[in-house]
Amino acid sequence: MKLFYIILGATPKGRNIEQHDVFFGIAENLKDLVPEMKKFWQEADGKIHIDAYQEVRFADGYELKITERTGKDSDDQLYFINLGGYKPGYFEEFHEQHLMVGKSMGEVVKRVKKTEFYQTMGFKGAESHIDEKHGVDIDDIFRLNDILPETMKEKYSIVLEKSEEQNQNNVMHLGYLRIEKLQ
């Protein structure tokens, strides 16, 4: 089984522009996640596409392994962080997302505030932030286990093992992909 990190896109009824959301799922392949993606974003009425995805094998110096649910969480946890920031003269908000490993949310918050994005994507009156708040808030950083679909939380555990492997990049797939093409 693999952990997939997916950027979904859709223009739900009543919206003027395309919206995006992040979906995490555990499956053998991307195709197996289509029903869960549709369930996750019901307002899109099945008209969802994928803008980017990756199989997460590594994060923050750790190798990820999916196991049957053990019921016991390890000290190290995987967190998903969505940063938002601004550049003078650009009429938009920019985003950068991170997967980080830490023993607590507080530890991860301290580290994410040291990222280049957080340090440089803001100016007086438009400070860099963790999305949805003007500062760091627990609602804006998620322990990955907490945002998996319920059926996956009950069945699987994400095991993190410190890794010395040199190439720890996850292969990214970018570009518009209609989920109907996966079925």
Side-chain angles (χ1 to χ4, degrees):
M1 301 302 277
K2 305 168 190 170
L3 175 65
F4 288 92
Y5 173 7
I6 304 166
I7 305 292
L8 297 175
T11 307
K13 187 176 180 174
R15 301 290 179 213
N16 295 320
I17 62 172
E18 181 179 339
Q19 312 288 292
H20 292 95
D21 208 338
V22 176
F23 175 83
F24 290 93
I26 296 171
E28 287 184 35
N29 58 61
L30 191 60
K31 179 179 103 170
D32 293 343
L33 292 173
V34 170
E36 286 292 340
M37 285 186 270
K38 287 181 177 181
K39 185 177 171 184
F40 170 75
W41 203 347
Q42 293 177 9
E43 301 84 3
D45 197 26
K47 297 178 180 108
I48 301 170
H49 64 271
I50 295 171
D51 282 310
Y53 73 92
Q54 63 181 280
E55 174 191 328
V56 182
R57 293 187 53 231
F58 298 98
D60 209 14
Y62 288 78
E63 184 173 0
L64 278 72
K65 296 186 179 180
I66 306 302
T67 64
E68 292 294 320
R69 183 88 182 122
T70 61
K72 178 184 172 283
D73 288 336
S74 67
D75 288 342
D76 290 315
Q77 293 293 307
L78 182 60
Y79 291 89
F80 168 71
I81 303 102
N82 185 41
L83 294 171
Y86 305 94
K87 289 183 182 181
Y90 287 86
F91 189 67
E92 66 181 298
E93 179 183 9
F94 296 89
H95 290 92
E96 183 173 278
Q97 298 170 352
H98 292 269
L99 291 176
M100 291 183 154
V101 175
K103 295 189 183 328
S104 70
M105 199 169 289
E107 175 188 328
V108 171
V109 167
K110 285 179 189 171
R111 287 182 46 228
V112 82
K113 284 183 168 184
K114 293 177 183 175
T115 63
E116 182 180 348
F117 185 92
Y118 195 92
Q119 295 290 320
T120 63
M121 291 299 289
F123 53 94
K124 188 168 174 67
E127 289 79 13
S128 182
H129 62 280
I130 296 175
D131 221 13
E132 294 300 314
K133 306 286 182 201
H134 299 288
V136 178
D137 192 339
I138 196 166
D139 294 334
D140 308 305
I141 299 176
F142 300 96
R143 194 174 76 111
L144 200 95
N145 287 335
D146 294 339
I147 58 175
L148 284 170
E150 203 59 45
T151 56
M152 294 173 197
K153 283 190 234 185
E154 294 168 358
K155 191 170 183 179
Y156 300 108
S157 290
I158 299 171
V159 177
L160 302 165
E161 295 178 0
K162 197 74 175 146
S163 177
E164 299 299 323
E165 189 166 323
Q166 294 300 314
N167 180 6
Q168 294 191 10
N169 294 322
N170 298 312
V171 177
M172 282 190 256
H173 302 272
L174 304 171
Y176 186 92
L177 173 61
R178 293 177 58 197
I179 61 171
E180 297 83 35
K181 298 249 181 189
L182 296 173
Q183 298 177 342

